[in-house]
Amino acid sequence: MNWRTKLIHSERKVPEGFRSLVAPVFHGSTTLFRRAAAIVDTWDHDDVFYSYGSYGTPTTLELAARIAELEGGYRSFVTPGGQSALILIYMACLSGGDHVLVPESIYGPSRAFADQVLRRYRVEVEYYPPLEGPSLSQRIRDNTRLIWCESPGSITMEIQDVPAIVAGAHARGVLVALDNTWGAGVLFDAFRHEIDFSVQAITKYIGGHGDLLLGSVSVRDEALYKRIGTAFQHLGMMASPEDCFLALRGLQTLPVRLKAIEESALRVAKWLAGRPEVEIVLHPALPSCPGHEVWKRDFTGSSGLFSVVYRRPLSRQDLHRCMDRLRLFQMGYSWGGVSSLIVTPDLDEAPNARAYGDRLVRFYVGLEDPDDLISDIEQAFRV
Ligand SMILES: Cc1ncc(COP(=O)(O)O)c(C=O)c1O
């Protein structure tokens, strides 16, 4: 053979017998069939192990299997980001003419998708106050197909009465999806609470280092596995094996990181609650957070994200000047990694935060020493 052909059809083979502690990264758009009769195009790994890279390589499927195991779901799908995981559920469950119930405290880009895309396809989108529990079932109509929960809510941190919402929904045959990112899929047991779809932005705690974007959708049973899998294929939601490799690494240290983050965030939140500059700390583990009693009943712990409402009088410029003086808390979106972060919400994306106006700031506490973080805020408060 010509050397150019040899580059493609090499006789060298990787020696057998090497076993690493670490799951390898399998790349590949094309996956090979051994016989012509076996050629088939299907996402369903129950039917055919591998048929095309879009539906997963061993690396992406390993991550999906581990997330299903962690969350106690029937199966999981790994998506290119948390937002695409949310979209996968919307697209798998809704058609024109259907009705969907979405909490007012939903993650901003999820709201934007519902308002700007679903409404274009004549889906009726109705927002509900996140603290509605059993009474939410009164909003269910004959064409309601899906209820979203996100607990705690984005920015305003309300803890939802998920068991009451699920009971009302299932009594009327309506599916319930939960954005379970704040609890890393473990602090709230979605499937014990009979959720149908549990979503995580793996970008946050499982990734854990601010260096990847991934999401997951875990499903309750086989029928939902088929439904999500079909939409997964239609939407071409393949995730990068490199990112999945990083997430597999992150999974192993999740418990220790989460524990340290929980303790530090609680210390910082409690310290903030005692400051004269602060009116309310919206941290689920503190009684000042709406829905705190439900958090105590349903969650096994807390994580690093919470919000703070400053006391009046305070102008946006004062707040920005205070934030600009911070040295350890950096300004940027996302959370769940090792670095502490702070942002002011975009009130167009989080209309439920408008009641607090310019006085609300979202904190994320990472893995720095909490005393250093407290000193950092203290020096920023000093004018
Ligand atoms: C609650 C929540 N869900 C979903 C997402 C979307 O995740 P990603 O950034 O991976 O798209 C985010 C991102 O900030 C989030 O905060």
Side-chain angles (χ1 to χ4, degrees), residues 8 89 94 132-133 178 203 229 231 249 259 277 305 313 351 359 375:
I8 297 164
I89 294 177
L94 298 170
E132 264 188 21
L178 170 70
T203 309
R249 188 162 69 174
K259 191 79 206 143
E277 296 86 351
L305 194 72
R359 298 181 298 134
S375 305

Side-chain angles (χ1 to χ4, degrees), residues 180-230:
N180 208 10
T181 306
W182 185 85
V186 289
L187 302 179
F188 177 84
D189 188 338
F191 293 105
R192 197 171 60 78
H193 289 97
E194 294 183 25
I195 281 288
D196 298 293
F197 307 108
S198 168
V199 173
Q200 271 200 75
I202 296 176
T203 309
K204 316 299 182 206
Y205 289 116
I206 293 181
H209 296 79
D211 52 7
L212 63 86
L213 285 153
L214 284 175
S216 64
V217 175
S218 302
V219 297
R220 189 156 65 96
D221 60 28
E222 188 180 356
L224 298 178
Y225 167 67
K226 302 272 185 207
R227 184 192 282 222
I228 292 288
T230 307

Side-chain angles (χ1 to χ4, degrees), residues 23 68 73 81 90 110 125 137 183 186 188 190 198 219 246-247 249 255 304 315 338:
Y90 278 121
S110 177
V125 179
S137 59
V186 289
F188 177 84
S198 168
V219 297
L246 289 175
R249 188 162 69 174
S315 69
V338 298

